[in-house]
Amino acid sequence: MSDTAIKPRAKVETKAERPRLHKVILHNDDYTPREFVVTVLKTEFGMTEDQAHKVMITAHRLGSCVVGVFAKDIAETKATRATDAGRTAGFPLLFTTEPEE
Ligand code: TYC
């Protein structure tokens, strides 16, 4: 065989990694009315009154609460929409996202 013979290349691992999920986190503040937070959680995250109240009161008491876990783009869209709903109404309500471990 000549020196220029083409050798087979090492096989490349092509294991598809599952995209990481992202948490949406609700942050407490001193100004947004509790009932408004509950309404946003129901409207933007499809929660029942009971679920929304539990999440709101957890954020109120502990400082923050995970609202849900979604694909990255969905988490970001929901967090932005929910934060914008607060801003439009004049409140500093804040939702952020972070990757799940
Ligand atoms: N702390 C607010 C109040 O006492 C209510 C509130 C709860 C605001 C949760 C934000 O993520 C929040 N009016």
Side-chain angles (χ1 to χ4, degrees), residues 81-92:
R81 284 177 52 107
T83 299
D84 283 352
R87 178 179 294 201
T88 300
F91 300 125

Side-chain angles (χ1 to χ4, degrees), residues 26-34 37 55-57 59-60 93-94:
L26 166 66
H27 298 269
N28 187 38
D29 68 71
D30 291 338
Y31 304 101
T32 309
R34 293 179 182 205
V37 180
V55 168
M56 179 281 294
I57 213 71
H60 177 74
L93 185 63
L94 177 64

Side-chain angles (χ1 to χ4, degrees), residues 27-92:
H27 298 269
N28 187 38
D29 68 71
D30 291 338
Y31 304 101
T32 309
R34 293 179 182 205
E35 200 42 53
F36 185 84
V37 180
V38 169
T39 299
V40 170
L41 290 170
K42 286 161 69 180
T43 307
E44 300 296 339
F45 295 91
M47 291 186 175
T48 64
E49 176 79 23
D50 197 47
Q51 291 169 329
H53 191 266
K54 281 182 177 143
V55 168
M56 179 281 294
I57 213 71
T58 301
H60 177 74
R61 287 180 181 151
L62 302 182
S64 64
C65 182
V66 175
V67 177
V69 175
F70 308 93
K72 184 172 192 283
D73 55 338
I74 300 201
E76 284 170 353
T77 302
K78 284 184 182 291
T80 301
R81 284 177 52 107
T83 299
D84 283 352
R87 178 179 294 201
T88 300
F91 300 125

Side-chain angles (χ1 to χ4, degrees), residues 14-25:
T14 52
K15 251 188 215 157
E17 298 216 347
R18 211 186 293 274
R20 275 214 286 178
L21 295 172
H22 287 241
K23 295 181 278 195
V24 174
I25 298 158

